[in-house]
mmCIF file of all heavy atoms in Angstrom:
data_model
loop_
_atom_site.group_PDB
_atom_site.id
_atom_site.type_symbol
_atom_site.label_atom_id
_atom_site.label_comp_id
_atom_site.label_asym_id
_atom_site.label_seq_id
_atom_site.Cartn_x
_atom_site.Cartn_y
_atom_site.Cartn_z
ATOM 1 N N LYS A 519 11.649 50.206 -43.703
ATOM 2 C CA LYS A 519 10.929 51.401 -44.170
ATOM 3 C C LYS A 519 11.701 52.157 -45.274
ATOM 4 O O LYS A 519 11.126 52.667 -46.197
ATOM 5 C CB LYS A 519 10.713 52.350 -42.961
ATOM 6 C CG LYS A 519 9.430 53.162 -43.052
ATOM 7 C CD LYS A 519 9.215 53.871 -41.723
ATOM 8 C CE LYS A 519 7.744 54.092 -41.489
ATOM 9 N NZ LYS A 519 7.502 54.598 -40.120
ATOM 10 N N THR A 520 13.025 52.213 -45.099
ATOM 11 C CA THR A 520 13.824 52.977 -46.041
ATOM 12 C C THR A 520 14.401 52.088 -47.142
ATOM 13 O O THR A 520 15.179 52.567 -47.978
ATOM 14 C CB THR A 520 15.033 53.629 -45.321
ATOM 15 O OG1 THR A 520 15.794 52.620 -44.668
ATOM 16 C CG2 THR A 520 14.530 54.634 -44.283
ATOM 17 N N LYS A 521 14.035 50.803 -47.173
ATOM 18 C CA LYS A 521 14.513 49.821 -48.180
ATOM 19 C C LYS A 521 16.046 49.775 -48.219
ATOM 20 O O LYS A 521 16.683 49.741 -49.271
ATOM 21 C CB LYS A 521 13.964 50.173 -49.533
ATOM 22 C CG LYS A 521 12.436 50.029 -49.635
ATOM 23 C CD LYS A 521 11.970 50.150 -51.091
ATOM 24 C CE LYS A 521 10.583 49.675 -51.296
ATOM 25 N NZ LYS A 521 9.595 50.162 -50.295
ATOM 26 N N ALA A 522 16.613 49.836 -46.993
ATOM 27 C CA ALA A 522 18.076 49.927 -46.905
ATOM 28 C C ALA A 522 18.706 48.514 -46.956
ATOM 29 O O ALA A 522 18.059 47.520 -46.689
ATOM 30 C CB ALA A 522 18.488 50.577 -45.575
ATOM 31 N N VAL A 523 19.976 48.457 -47.364
ATOM 32 C CA VAL A 523 20.776 47.245 -47.278
ATOM 33 C C VAL A 523 21.625 47.359 -46.021
ATOM 34 O O VAL A 523 22.179 48.387 -45.733
ATOM 35 C CB VAL A 523 21.690 47.085 -48.511
ATOM 36 C CG1 VAL A 523 22.531 45.828 -48.378
ATOM 37 C CG2 VAL A 523 20.888 47.092 -49.790
ATOM 38 N N VAL A 524 21.709 46.275 -45.225
ATOM 39 C CA VAL A 524 22.524 46.264 -43.994
ATOM 40 C C VAL A 524 23.667 45.305 -44.138
ATOM 41 O O VAL A 524 23.484 44.130 -44.385
ATOM 42 C CB VAL A 524 21.630 45.918 -42.777
ATOM 43 C CG1 VAL A 524 22.481 45.966 -41.487
ATOM 44 C CG2 VAL A 524 20.449 46.864 -42.674
ATOM 45 N N THR A 525 24.923 45.838 -44.021
ATOM 46 C CA THR A 525 26.072 44.925 -44.012
ATOM 47 C C THR A 525 26.475 44.647 -42.572
ATOM 48 O O THR A 525 26.293 45.489 -41.718
ATOM 49 C CB THR A 525 27.281 45.552 -44.788
ATOM 50 O OG1 THR A 525 27.559 46.774 -44.194
ATOM 51 C CG2 THR A 525 26.920 45.788 -46.229
ATOM 52 N N GLY A 526 27.010 43.474 -42.357
ATOM 53 C CA GLY A 526 27.290 43.052 -40.962
ATOM 54 C C GLY A 526 28.789 42.763 -40.754
ATOM 55 O O GLY A 526 29.600 42.842 -41.649
ATOM 56 N N ASP A 527 29.078 42.486 -39.483
ATOM 57 C CA ASP A 527 30.480 42.254 -39.092
ATOM 58 C C ASP A 527 30.535 41.105 -38.077
ATOM 59 O O ASP A 527 29.545 40.478 -37.751
ATOM 60 C CB ASP A 527 31.100 43.530 -38.614
ATOM 61 C CG ASP A 527 32.488 43.771 -39.188
ATOM 62 O OD1 ASP A 527 33.389 42.883 -38.937
ATOM 63 O OD2 ASP A 527 32.709 44.770 -39.861
ATOM 64 N N ILE A 528 31.715 40.925 -37.482
ATOM 65 C CA ILE A 528 31.965 39.774 -36.593
ATOM 66 C C ILE A 528 31.717 40.189 -35.139
ATOM 67 O O ILE A 528 32.362 41.120 -34.649
ATOM 68 C CB ILE A 528 33.361 39.233 -36.731
ATOM 69 C CG1 ILE A 528 33.777 38.992 -38.156
ATOM 70 C CG2 ILE A 528 33.559 37.931 -35.931
ATOM 71 C CD1 ILE A 528 32.905 38.015 -38.933
ATOM 72 N N GLY A 529 30.818 39.460 -34.466
ATOM 73 C CA GLY A 529 30.553 39.710 -33.052
ATOM 74 C C GLY A 529 29.155 39.204 -32.727
ATOM 75 O O GLY A 529 28.485 38.716 -33.603
ATOM 76 N N CYS A 530 28.776 39.334 -31.445
ATOM 77 C CA CYS A 530 27.509 38.775 -31.013
ATOM 78 C C CYS A 530 26.329 39.270 -31.847
ATOM 79 O O CYS A 530 25.394 38.477 -32.119
ATOM 80 C CB CYS A 530 27.233 39.146 -29.571
ATOM 81 S SG CYS A 530 28.278 38.304 -28.385
ATOM 82 N N TYR A 531 26.363 40.545 -32.242
ATOM 83 C CA TYR A 531 25.285 41.096 -33.002
ATOM 84 C C TYR A 531 25.045 40.462 -34.369
ATOM 85 O O TYR A 531 24.048 40.683 -35.080
ATOM 86 C CB TYR A 531 25.502 42.636 -33.194
ATOM 87 C CG TYR A 531 26.879 42.896 -33.710
ATOM 88 C CD1 TYR A 531 27.194 43.033 -35.035
ATOM 89 C CD2 TYR A 531 27.948 42.950 -32.781
ATOM 90 C CE1 TYR A 531 28.498 43.183 -35.471
ATOM 91 C CE2 TYR A 531 29.245 43.145 -33.218
ATOM 92 C CZ TYR A 531 29.488 43.264 -34.551
ATOM 93 O OH TYR A 531 30.825 43.411 -34.980
#
Side-chain angles (χ1 to χ4, degrees):
Chain A
K519 211 171 211 172
T520 58
K521 295 188 165 45
V523 179
V524 180
T525 58
D527 224 300
I528 311 301
C530 289
Y531 48 93

